[in-house]
Amino acid sequence: MLILVTGGAGFIGSHVVGALVEAGHEVRVLDVRSPEPPQFPPGVAFVRGDVRDRTAVEEALHTVDAVCHQAAMVGLGRDFDDAPAYVGCNDLGTAVLLAAMARLRVSELVLAGSMVYYGEGRYDCAHHGTVRPGPRRVADLDAGRFEPLCPRCGEPLTPGLVPEEAPPDPRNVYAATKVAQEHLAAAWARATGGRAVALRYHNVYGPGMPRDTPYAGVASLFRSALARGEPPRVFEDGRQRRDFIHVGDVAAANLAALGAVGAAIPEGTLRAYNVGSGSPHTVGEMATALSAACGGPEPVVTGEYRLGDVRHITASSSRLRKELGWLPQVPFADGMQEFAKASLRGTATAPR
């Protein structure tokens, strides 16, 4: 197959490109930036262009069989002034791509989704079963009360794993754009008879992450601090639960999804899959493991917070394992050891 990878010069996209080439696919990349070393594998075609540019998108789509759509502005960002940039890159860009796919009759899509789709994760109350807490209050956060409480009785909750059937609950601008991307892809599939897979990535880390940018994930921020000889600064109390997934496993999930999108996914539908390791860790545990692997200073728990962050978000990846036969291959400890020594990319304002 000839596969277009949008954002293929970025962190996750470049790993997807490598996995596709290794599996024997032809690959074309559309990215607004030139690829940083290491360069693409031999035979990969590169089209420089913005995913919002109809001409560039149509050039990149010519004769392709499927699209892996990785291009996006990611992370929580600085403040709400980033909203137009997020919406333009993520939602307008996706709309331009899907419209061109409809015109050129490209009918298979793998979309880079995100666990931010769910907002806060799943919580169970001892008295009321599964509940969905509302947004955390500034007064509680200022007082160091970080854990959501039952919205019905105010009692403590037990965090659990979120299934794909959970409703969307975006709690920041980036999350809102990722939900919109899935809705656009579902509308495209219905209108054209196409097939789409949305891979809801959890906290992706690994070689080639961008450094020193507010748009990067927490693993990159901690790694950048350690490279400067500084301790990682852990927000809240460090007990936030996340699922850290190695970028190589995410690339393998894209490969598995491409195998399914033309076979197991019915025409005119979108199928979502969580992509996580299945072994949640707290942010504090990750910072401690990375500091130890780097031989750097121990993390500092600051009590600071970002209003758009959620407390706990971990999801079940059993659907991906059962339906597509995907299994993560990189254990947390091994991944942290590798990441501690891996090179990072230069500063980026809108990593893809």
Side-chain angles (χ1 to χ4, degrees), residues 76 79-80 82-84 86-87 90 171-178:
L76 192 56
D79 52 41
F80 207 83
D82 283 331
Y86 274 105
V87 173
N90 297 358
R171 300 205 173 187
N172 56 59
V173 171
Y174 170 61
T177 66
K178 297 307 288 185

Side-chain angles (χ1 to χ4, degrees), residues 284-294 299 332-333 336-337 340:
E285 287 171 344
M286 189 272 287
T288 298
L290 190 56
S291 292
C294 287
F332 176 78
M336 287 295 121
Q337 287 287 338

Side-chain angles (χ1 to χ4, degrees), residues 83-120:
Y86 274 105
V87 173
C89 184
N90 297 358
D91 298 339
L92 176 59
T94 298
V96 171
L97 173 68
L98 293 172
M101 290 176 66
R103 288 192 298 273
L104 299 178
R105 301 182 185 278
V106 180
S107 61
E108 297 183 12
L109 172 71
V110 176
L111 172 68
S114 174
M115 52 92 176
V116 298
Y117 180 98
Y118 304 111
E120 286 286 353

